[in-house]
Every structure is written in C-alpha cells, then in structure tokens.
Amino acid sequence: MDDTTRKVVADVVRRCRETGNDVTPTLACFMVRTMQLQGVALADKGSTESFEEFCAQCSERLTLSDSPSLQNIKMQIAVEEANVLYAKAIAKATRERDERAATMEREIISAVVESSLDEVLLLDNLYRTVFRYVAVAGGMEIALSDAQVEAETFAALESVFPHHGLRRFFGLSGSEKAAQLKELASIVLGIRIFNRSIGKGGRRLEDPAPPYLAQAAHLREDLGAKLMATERLMGQYAGVISFKAQSMRPGSELLVRLRDEQTNRQAYASALRRLIDGCAKGAAAVASLADQLSREVVSVQQLVGAKNSVPKEKVYPRLDALGALHFALAEERRAQGVLQRVADRLVEFTKPFKTSLSNQLLHETSASQSSGKGGGGAPLLDDAGPGAVEDPILAAAAVGAEVMDGGVTMLQYAGYDLHALVKRTGLLIPANAFTGTVVSFSGKFYGFAGKESALQFAAQPEEYIKDAMDRLRAQPELIYMMGVASGEFPTVDIAPIIDMMSTPQSCDFGTQTPTHFVENNIDKDYEWNEWALRQRALHLANLRQKQTHGAQTYLSHFRRENTMQVWLPKESSAQTAVAKGTTMPQPKRYIGGVRGGPEATMNVVSLELDIGQPHEFWYYGGGGGEIGWIGDDGMGWELCFGRSGGIDTETGCIGGARGGPEMKPHEF
C-alpha cells in the first residue's frame, strides 16, 4: 500500500469516528479499494480539494444507516478478521514456543564437557537445561511453575534419560543430539499420559478430546438452529422477489432493497455453513485421534502389565506415539478457538437491518402461490447487458459452448447464476450442480437455475462474463461471496488487506547526533570554591533563624478585581439667589440738653441702633401710606411688604399697586 492510500485510510477512519461510527482500518481500506475499482480517482497528495472530496465520499459510504449491503461488507470483513487474526495469534504463540525450544536445543548441542573441577556443576546445569527443553517442547510449560508437576515430569525424564547418561549423550554428533532431544520430549509426555490413564499421575495434563467434542456439539447445534431460521427467511425473500419480479422492473426501489437484504442473509448463511463444516471436520479428526490415543494406551498397558522392566525398543515407540497424538489433539483444541471466535463475531450480525418483508407482502405472495399464479409468469429482465438470442443453440455451437444437465460439482463463481446476476441487477440465484443446467466454456463450468438462462449464456458467454464483472464492481459485497476476490479482483481480497493493515506502519524518522556528548556522571551542583561554600552555609544558617508570618483578612479572602459601570451625575450649575451679610447692632450714646435755654437740662441718651443689612431699605407710600421694605434677590429689586408692584432699579421709583403717586425709598 502506498503512502497516499494509508493517508486516505487514516483520514477516513478519523472522519467516521468523529461522527460516532467505529470503523476499522481494514474496512476503510476495503472501501477505498472498491471506490478505485468503480473508477473514482484516488486523492492526490498535492491537491487538497480532491483529497477532501475523496475522503468525504468514502466516509459517507461507511456511515450509511440501515444499509444491508454495507452490513454485508462489515460481516465479511469481521469474519475474516476474526479468522486471520486469531489464527495468527495461535501461530505466533507456537512459533515463540518453538523458538524458545530451539534456543535451548542449540545451548545443549553446543555444550562441551571436559574434565575439570567444575564438571559436576556443568553437568547439573546442562541437565536442568534438558529438563526445561522437554517441558517447553512437549507443551508442559506448567512444570516450570508448579512444584508437583515439576516433580512428576522430572521423574519421567529421569526414567528415560538418567543423569549419569549425560556424558554418553554429549559424545554423540549434533544431528543425533537434536533427534534424540525431540524424541525425548515426546516420550516424557507419553509417560505422563500413560500415568494419567492408570490414575497415578498426569496432574494438570488435560485430555483435549472430551471438551473439544462437547464444545463442537454445542456449537454445531447452535449454528444449525440459526442456519435453519436463516434458510427459512431466505425462502420467504425468494418467494416475494419472484412474485414481485413479474410486475416490477429489476431496478425498482422495492426489488433493490429486497435483493440487498436477501444477499445479506445469503452471506450470513454461507458463513454459518463454513463454521458448521469446520466443526464437523474438526470433531471427526479429534474423534479419530482420540481413538488412536486410546488404542496406544491399551498397547502400552499390555506391554508393561505387571512387569518390573520392559525393553525400551518396544515401549519407547509407543510412548512417543502417545506424546505425538496428544500434541495433535492440543493443536486441534487451539484451532477450535478460531471457530468459536468467528461464531462470536457472527452474533452481532444476526439482525443487522430492519427487514422489508411485511405481512402484506408475505400474504400476497402466499395467496398467489396458493392460486397457482406465483410462478406462472416470467420475471421482467433489465435492458442492460447482452440482448436475447433467437437461436441460442446455434450460437452456442459457434462459440464452442456446451450445455449439459448437471453432474458437475466444481462450478465457477460459487455456483451462482450469471444470467440472473446480469439481467436482474445483481440478484444471486444459486444453481443446483446435480439437477440444474451447466454450461461448459473454455474448460470451465458455469451453473444456472434454468434451461433458458443457460442457453442465453451459452450463446454469448464472453459478453455475460464481462457484464458480470461490471456488476461485481458496482456491488463489491458480491465479490467475496462469488469467490473471485483472489483471481479477478486481487486488490479487494480481504485476507491481504487484513495482513497489510495489521502490520505496524513504518515512517522515515531522523535524529541529530550532538557533536560533543555530555557525560551523565557530571554533578552540576558541585562547587569548588571554598568561600562560595562558606557563603552558602552562612546563608542557610541565617535562614534557620527566619520565620514566615502570614495573615489573611476577611477582605482579602477570595478577593478579586472587579469592574462596574455607573451613571455619572449630570453636569449642572447653580446661582445663589441672595447674598447676605451680618451687621451687629451699634450702641450709641447721645448727650442732650447741652444747647438751649436755661431751662434745658443735660441728660445722656443710650440706645442701640439695629439698622439692618446694607441692602435693606425702608420706603413709605405717598398716597396710600403703605410702609414696607424691599430687598435685592440678585436679579433686581423686590417688594417685600405693602401693596406696591415693584421698584425700578435704574430710576429708584416704585410703582404703586393702585397707580397713585410715586413712592420713594427712604433710608434712615
């Protein structure tokens, strides 16, 4: 996969997950490849607009709701992912075990024992290595952690390969050592199996056959019930489609929806059949291995019996066979886990969409079949594809095609009718390989559901095959079902895509090496200056005499800076109406009687003159006799008492209220 495709897949996965749809990279890559098959140009790195448009279109297809075709693709990829990834995990565990055993084997074979003071210690270590090799290579790694299993396995090893035989063993060649080590692991495993059969050992050594057969029976029963229900539903789909196809065009909305739903259930049924077939084959193989194991145990019991010693030439091959059979059963048990994992993934696709089979459609179809009109009319065909040939037999002979009546088991395109695929817009109708019609062309056999369909195909086989490929490009969910992914469409083969997407992606990454490396053993806090150290010590000593005080008031508690907005007061001016002052009463003393005749008597008159403020004046009225006072309010004269209307500040005349003579101000 090139970098552009990886970039597109990553962006599509991101887009789908942002919308709440969990899309795996394998599914995204499959959709990208199918869009390329349909002629959609892959986004270019340099063009941002084309990249965004391609990714948006791909993510839109992956986020369709209630789409039987999309659910079909998801189911196919989920089944293959469970199959491939779990099988890879088992193969990886087996490979790691074999690598550990091979490492110990090389250590044992390459060891050299020489006469020295450490010879005993060296032989003891090598014997422990042989024990670990037997435990790992024989699938008994539990002996390395369980004390009782370790003691039992060690006793079985000692009975076959005693400690004193090490020196003779190291005298053999490398190939002879490797062969004996492999046989030794199998024989030790066989001894433990025999001890388990007679009830004298075999701790934590499970017999794989009984749990395998029990789980296989339960799985087959469960899958069989689901297959029966699915086949019954497929029969209902086939009846409704056959009834509606007599009056509706193949490309109508209802028929397209029914076709997609039927195809989804066909893929689901096909997956169930593969699982049931795998369970049946596995159960048969395990039953055969278990029977052979039982016979070998009986043979060993007959050889050993109550004897104290048995020739190893007779008993060792039997024990080796016991170990090999048990090992094969353990491998079958691990392979059963793959089938169980696939069955678990299929559970979520039991009802992946809302069916369009309403009670009304089923009732109409049933009524038509009861009246004998259900299969009377021929279905309407699509105008696309090759046209009908009037004399198909002659045309078939011209192109070298031969029409036969069944009897062929290996059919192309998984046995589906290519004529229905092309002329009925991708409808999958399975052909009967034994009773149906088969067309032989170019050394290949094609099955058909009817005689007329086979004749039309035989007349123009190459045109039908070409149009069938175009139909598969338009409906990519059919590619895997018809078994042409690895041949005609290798770019959308699911297994290679899974392998490719499960491999960690690599990228170019560079690092810059420094010119001068800085050693890690340098203490950056080291100080060589004694006076600097003394200054630091004095500073620390001074800090010990310090105390930190802090207080928090109510105002500072959770205080923060706030801002507020107020209405500022309106600008205005004021003028004082009256300006006043204060004048104290003036005491006066007058001496009277100083002048005059002799009869005048001198006396002293004391009085206080309260003449008021300087701006206050008294007036009198000439005609009316009114007396009052006037005051200045800062803007002119104002009459305070009397009946006058006012006074003129320029002439000093006061106008009377009745128009009488002028009143003149008088000041005391």
Side-chain angles (χ1 to χ4, degrees):
M1 183 188 299
D2 56 358
D3 294 339
T4 304
T5 305
R6 288 187 180 274
K7 185 178 179 181
V8 171
V9 169
D11 191 79
V12 169
V13 172
R14 177 189 61 81
R15 289 171 180 262
C16 294
R17 291 179 178 176
E18 287 178 353
T19 58
N21 296 277
D22 189 11
V23 174
T24 62
T26 304
L27 178 59
C29 182
F30 181 86
M31 187 59 67
V32 170
R33 294 279 180 89
T34 55
M35 289 178 61
Q36 290 179 280
L37 273 180
Q38 295 170 0
V40 182
L42 185 62
D44 189 8
K45 277 185 177 181
S47 178
T48 305
E49 295 182 359
S50 62
F51 178 83
E52 294 291 334
E53 182 180 358
F54 186 92
C55 295
Q57 185 177 355
C58 186
S59 60
E60 183 179 357
R61 293 189 182 187
L62 289 172
T63 54
L64 293 175
S65 60
D66 195 29
S67 174
S69 58
L70 178 61
Q71 293 298 325
N72 195 347
I73 294 175
K74 288 183 178 181
M75 177 174 57
Q76 295 172 11
I77 293 178
V79 169
E80 284 299 315
E81 275 187 333
N83 194 1
V84 172
L85 296 182
Y86 196 68
K88 275 187 173 183
I90 294 176
K92 181 180 178 181
T94 304
R95 184 172 61 254
E96 291 177 352
R97 183 195 62 200
D98 294 341
E99 289 176 355
R100 291 195 302 270
T103 301
M104 298 176 189
E105 179 183 339
R106 288 192 298 269
E107 181 181 354
I108 295 170
I109 293 175
S110 61
V112 177
V113 180
E114 298 178 353
S115 298
S116 63
L117 297 176
D118 299 332
E119 179 183 359
V120 177
L121 181 60
L122 177 61
L123 291 177
D124 289 341
N125 292 334
L126 287 175
Y127 197 79
R128 293 297 302 179
T129 305
V130 171
F131 172 77
R132 290 196 300 271
Y133 170 81
V134 169
V136 172
M140 300 175 290
E141 291 185 85
I142 190 65
L144 302 177
S145 57
D146 192 312
Q148 296 183 3
V149 179
E150 179 184 6
E152 180 185 349
T153 308
F154 197 85
L157 175 63
E158 185 71 24
S159 64
V160 180
F161 186 64
H163 190 282
H164 59 77
L166 274 175
R167 181 170 292 279
R168 186 175 64 255
F169 172 78
F170 285 107
L172 302 175
S173 62
S175 59
E176 292 175 341
K177 291 179 184 178
Q180 288 199 9
L181 283 175
K182 290 182 175 61
E183 185 180 1
L184 180 62
S186 183
I187 291 175
V188 171
L189 179 59
I191 293 174
R192 293 197 61 207
I193 295 172
F194 177 75
N195 291 337
R196 183 190 64 192
S197 65
I198 62 177
K200 294 184 179 180
R203 174 180 170 82
R204 302 186 69 174
L205 185 63
E206 181 187 8
D207 186 2
Y212 184 100
L213 296 176
Q215 185 177 358
H218 176 72
L219 188 59
R220 290 178 64 185
E221 181 180 359
D222 183 38
L223 296 176
K226 293 180 180 179
L227 181 59
M228 290 181 59
T230 305
E231 288 178 343
R232 182 169 58 252
L233 183 62
M234 289 165 54
Q236 295 176 349
Y237 274 113
V240 172
I241 291 175
S242 177
F243 171 67
K244 288 295 182 181
Q246 300 175 17
S247 58
M248 301 178 67
R249 303 295 299 178
S252 62
E253 183 178 355
L254 178 60
L255 283 182
V256 170
R257 174 71 183 190
L258 291 173
R259 176 205 69 190
D260 291 342
E261 293 180 5
Q262 183 189 30
T263 303
N264 185 289
R265 294 299 86 190
Q266 286 174 330
Y268 181 72
S270 177
L272 291 176
R273 292 190 191 97
R274 289 197 299 270
L275 285 177
I276 293 174
D277 185 60
C279 287
K281 291 181 179 179
V286 168
S288 176
L289 290 173
D291 183 63
Q292 296 180 36
L293 183 66
S294 300
R295 291 199 301 268
E296 289 295 337
V297 169
V298 172
S299 300
V300 175
Q301 289 178 348
Q302 292 176 353
L303 284 174
V304 176
K307 301 177 182 178
N308 294 327
S309 61
V310 182
K312 62 180 182 179
E313 292 80 6
K314 295 182 178 181
V315 71
Y316 280 2
R318 298 293 183 183
L319 294 175
D320 187 12
L322 279 179
L325 289 172
H326 179 85
F327 207 79
L329 285 172
E331 292 293 332
E332 289 291 337
R333 177 64 172 163
R334 284 190 287 270
Q336 190 184 38
V338 179
L339 298 178
Q340 186 63 52
R341 182 66 62 89
V342 175
D344 294 340
R345 289 300 304 271
L346 275 178
V347 172
E348 58 184 287
F349 298 99
T350 304
K351 293 181 179 180
F353 56 86
K354 185 178 180 181
T355 180
S356 300
L357 286 178
S358 61
N359 292 331
Q360 181 180 359
L361 286 175
L362 294 175
H363 178 72
E364 292 177 357
T365 304
S366 178
S368 176
Q369 292 175 351
S370 300
S371 62
K373 300 179 181 179
L380 299 179
L381 302 180
D382 194 359
D383 296 334
V389 178
E390 295 182 359
D391 191 357
I393 298 178
L394 182 61
V399 297
E402 180 183 359
V403 181
M404 302 181 297
D405 293 333
V408 180
T409 57
M410 300 298 294
L411 297 177
Q412 298 294 315
Y413 300 103
Y416 287 108
D417 191 338
L418 289 188
H419 181 268
L421 179 71
V422 174
K423 303 300 291 184
R424 299 182 67 177
T425 63
L427 181 64
L428 291 185
I429 299 179
N432 194 323
F434 298 99
T435 61
T437 305
V438 178
V439 175
S440 174
F441 177 71
S442 299
K444 299 179 181 179
F445 299 95
Y446 304 87
F448 297 89
K451 184 79 171 180
E452 183 62 27
S453 300
L455 289 174
Q456 291 295 329
F457 174 84
Q460 310 173 74
E462 294 182 352
E463 288 80 0
Y464 272 98
I465 293 175
K466 177 180 177 300
D467 289 346
M469 296 299 102
D470 295 338
R471 173 54 56 182
L472 293 180
R473 292 186 185 93
Q475 295 178 242
E477 67 272 12
L478 304 181
I479 295 177
Y480 185 75
M481 296 179 61
M482 300 188 72
V484 294
S486 58
E488 286 80 356
F489 302 100
T491 57
V492 293
D493 194 4
I494 299 178
I497 293 178
I498 295 173
D499 292 337
M500 190 172 4
M501 299 309 299
S502 60
T503 304
Q505 300 182 7
S506 60
C507 62
D508 295 334
F509 185 78
T511 58
Q512 184 175 2
T513 304
T515 305
H516 302 286
F517 288 90
V518 179
E519 297 183 2
N520 295 328
N521 56 0
I522 297 177
D523 186 6
K524 296 182 180 180
D525 295 331
Y526 174 75
E527 180 60 60
W528 60 272
N529 192 339
E530 182 180 355
W531 291 100
L533 292 174
R534 182 174 299 178
Q535 182 181 6
R536 185 185 301 177
L538 292 175
H539 178 67
L540 294 176
N542 189 28
L543 286 178
R544 295 184 61 186
Q545 305 299 327
K546 304 295 182 181
Q547 293 183 355
T548 302
H549 297 278
Q552 187 171 10
T553 63
Y554 178 76
L555 293 178
S556 65
H557 187 60
F558 294 116
R559 191 169 186 176
R560 63 180 182 180
E561 295 181 358
N562 290 331
T563 58
M564 62 183 298
Q565 184 177 6
V566 298
W567 292 98
L568 297 177
K570 183 173 64 174
E571 295 183 1
S572 61
S573 59
Q575 185 174 9
T576 305
V578 178
K580 295 183 179 181
T582 303
T583 303
M584 299 301 294
Q586 300 179 10
K588 298 293 183 180
R589 301 185 75 181
Y590 296 96
I591 301 174
V594 177
R595 297 177 183 179
E599 67 279 4
T601 303
M602 184 182 66
N603 58 352
V604 178
V605 180
S606 298
L607 67 143
E608 289 184 358
L609 296 179
D610 188 3
I611 61 175
Q613 302 301 324
H615 58 275
E616 295 177 347
F617 297 90
W618 293 92
Y619 67 91
Y620 66 94
E626 295 89 349
I627 299 176
W629 62 274
I630 59 174
D632 186 7
D633 61 355
M635 299 181 66
W637 294 90
E638 181 181 4
L639 178 63
C640 296
F641 295 100
R643 289 177 288 179
S644 175
I647 184 171
D648 191 349
T649 57
E650 295 182 357
T651 62
C653 298
I654 300 175
R658 294 176 295 178
E662 297 180 357
M663 293 182 292
K664 296 182 181 180
H666 175 76
E667 182 178 2
F668 290 104

